[in-house]
Amino acid sequence: DADVTQTPRNRITKTGKRIMLECSQTKGHDRMYWYRQDPGLGLRLIYYSFDVKDINKGEISDGYSVSRQAQAKFSLSLESAIPNQTALYFCATSDTPEGGSISSYNEQFFGPGTRLTVL
Amino acid sequence: GDSVTQMEGPVTLSEEAFLTINCTYTATGYPSLFWYVQYPGEGLQLLLKATKADDKGSNKGFEATYRKETTSFHLEKGSVQVSDSAVYFCALSWAGGTSYGKLTFGQGTILTVHP
């Protein structure tokens, strides 16, 4: 089984609808992230969570919200979808630096992505 | 803020050709640098990394050297294969302030290798 799973894998919806994308992980990591990928723009961070009680906005959080239901689950919601939110969405996880030290090289593990189309 | 710039693609090569994908970065301090690869229909996976100046990351025949003086982390492979066709992302992660642990990605470079 995959370590990081995302549901659904594909979704087509209409403008104004509420959409939830779900991410689950079995890696036991505290940190989870939501990114969107657009052609020519790479991946941009929407929200991130360093533990269940710590949620932070990324660079493009407007129009999105998140919920960290448990260590293993991190959901992304679009309260009222609009066409320019059409993109590929990725969830990722990473471990916490050992001993509380600041370490910048922890690998992030990505889910397979959710392709969202807003008509 | 931190940023990563990759050479524009797409890059199209014949099998066994030499590959270079340029990557330069702007950051305060000394970030760690990464190359991620995205195969068709899949999520990103770490290809290689370097955590300090002059480190060389390597994996699957790919190499990249962390050059602080030129703020670069160019990806190279001596002989590409059709199976290397993918999108390649350069990224940095910095340990300072509220940014630590987060990744900043370049825009990605599409590589297509023909037989």
Side-chain angles (χ1 to χ4, degrees):
Chain A
D1 288 340
D3 294 320
V4 184
T5 57
Q6 294 183 234
T7 56
R9 294 294 311 277
N10 289 283
R11 182 72 183 267
I12 300 173
T13 190
K14 295 182 179 180
T15 297
K17 294 292 187 180
R18 184 178 187 274
I19 296 296
M20 178 180 285
L21 309 182
E22 299 186 348
C23 176
S24 295
Q25 53 112 348
T26 58
K27 299 191 73 66
H29 290 165
D30 286 328
R31 299 179 172 188
M32 298 186 75
Y33 311 79
W34 275 105
Y35 294 91
R36 66 176 279 174
Q37 182 182 14
D38 299 277
L41 294 178
L43 273 74
R44 293 180 291 167
L45 184 63
I46 306 172
Y47 270 94
Y48 62 102
S49 171
F50 280 177
D51 65 42
V52 175
K53 296 181 180 180
D54 177 69
I55 293 178
N56 304 278
K57 293 182 177 180
E59 59 182 305
I60 55 162
S61 59
D62 287 349
Y64 301 94
S65 63
V66 291
S67 173
R68 185 80 185 266
Q69 300 96 324
Q71 186 204 37
K73 295 185 183 295
F74 192 37
S75 300
L76 175 72
S77 293
L78 289 67
E79 296 300 326
S80 180
I82 57 177
N84 75 1
Q85 291 177 313
T86 294
L88 191 53
Y89 290 84
F90 287 102
C91 174
T93 74
S94 69
D95 206 352
T96 302
E98 293 179 358
S101 63
I102 294 176
S103 171
S104 64
Y105 53 81
N106 296 92
E107 178 181 352
Q108 290 191 15
F109 296 84
F110 285 79
T114 295
R115 185 168 296 282
L116 177 66
T117 302
V118 183
L119 301 177
Chain B
D2 300 347
S3 66
V4 177
T5 302
Q6 292 180 229
M7 66 182 287
E8 292 187 13
V11 175
T12 302
L13 296 173
S14 298
E15 207 165 24
E16 300 184 2
F18 183 84
L19 168 71
T20 298
I21 301 178
N22 290 338
C23 171
T24 56
Y25 67 90
T26 302
T28 304
Y30 303 101
S32 293
L33 301 174
F34 307 82
W35 277 100
Y36 278 81
V37 59
Q38 182 183 27
Y39 297 105
E42 299 182 11
L44 281 71
Q45 54 186 277
L46 182 66
L47 180 59
L48 53 84
K49 66 184 180 186
T51 58
K52 61 183 187 294
D54 299 326
D55 268 3
K56 177 184 284 188
S58 61
N59 186 26
K60 299 181 180 180
F62 291 89
E63 294 183 339
T65 301
Y66 188 162
R67 302 289 188 195
K68 187 165 70 76
E69 63 277 11
T70 55
T71 62
S72 65
F73 192 55
H74 304 321
L75 182 69
E76 296 182 336
K77 187 174 185 182
S79 177
V80 293
Q81 305 300 311
V82 172
S83 58
D84 294 326
S85 298
V87 184
Y88 292 82
F89 293 92
C90 185
L92 67 81
S93 176
W94 185 52
T98 59
S99 299
Y100 81 93
K102 295 187 294 180
L103 291 174
T104 298
F105 287 90
Q107 70 269 39
T109 301
I110 300 172
L111 171 65
T112 302
V113 180
H114 293 296

